[in-house]
Amino acid sequence: MHDFCFTIPYGLLLVCGGAIGFLKKGSVASLGGGVGTGLLLVLAGYLSLQAFHKRKNSYLALILETAIAATLSYIMGQRYMQTQKIMPAGIVAGISVVMAVFYLYKIATGGNHFPPKTE
């Protein structure tokens, strides 16, 4: 599985969560954090997808994705430990841990793998 297959939906989920947090509670932190990190992840996923079309790996995108997922895991994990609220801190922390592990796996195995060319 290629990193952009999960990164773009993960980023869109964060964008939607940040927007919903702002609309429901007026939380500027949700707006900045969710939308900001979500858009960075969508951008990284797009860069990875474009590199894949050229049959190359975008290690810049993979490192950015890993850094964002690891940071969100830590920050939202800390918030969950303080508040014990599943929504949104526990959910975001859990998804981010899974994504960080996936990205580390992709880095360890050499990034995206390409199917053989057929003519």
Side-chain angles (χ1 to χ4, degrees):
M1 192 55 82
H2 307 294
D3 63 304
F4 54 82
C5 294
F6 292 113
T7 300
I8 295 171
Y10 173 45
L12 291 174
L13 181 72
L14 291 173
V15 168
C16 290
I20 289 169
F22 177 72
L23 293 173
K24 284 187 127 184
K25 303 274 186 181
S27 173
V28 177
S30 289
L31 185 65
V35 173
T37 57
L39 288 177
L40 279 174
L41 283 166
V42 169
L43 174 65
Y46 176 77
L47 291 174
S48 181
L49 178 61
Q50 293 305 309
F52 180 78
H53 286 306
K54 296 176 186 172
R55 300 183 67 77
K56 296 182 179 185
N57 275 308
S58 176
Y59 289 105
L60 172 66
L62 201 50
I63 290 169
L64 180 61
E65 294 160 355
T66 307
I68 292 170
T71 302
L72 281 174
S73 298
Y74 178 75
I75 291 170
M76 296 307 272
Q78 290 293 322
R79 186 162 297 149
Y80 173 72
M81 296 302 282
Q82 291 171 352
T83 64
Q84 296 295 308
K85 291 184 179 180
I86 294 290
M87 198 61 179
I91 300 289
V92 173
I95 292 171
S96 296
V97 166
V98 170
M99 293 304 294
V101 169
F102 172 70
Y103 295 138
L104 290 172
Y105 168 77
K106 294 304 287 182
I107 290 171
T109 59
N112 293 321
H113 298 282
F114 306 101
K117 272 190 166 178
T118 57
E119 306 248 356

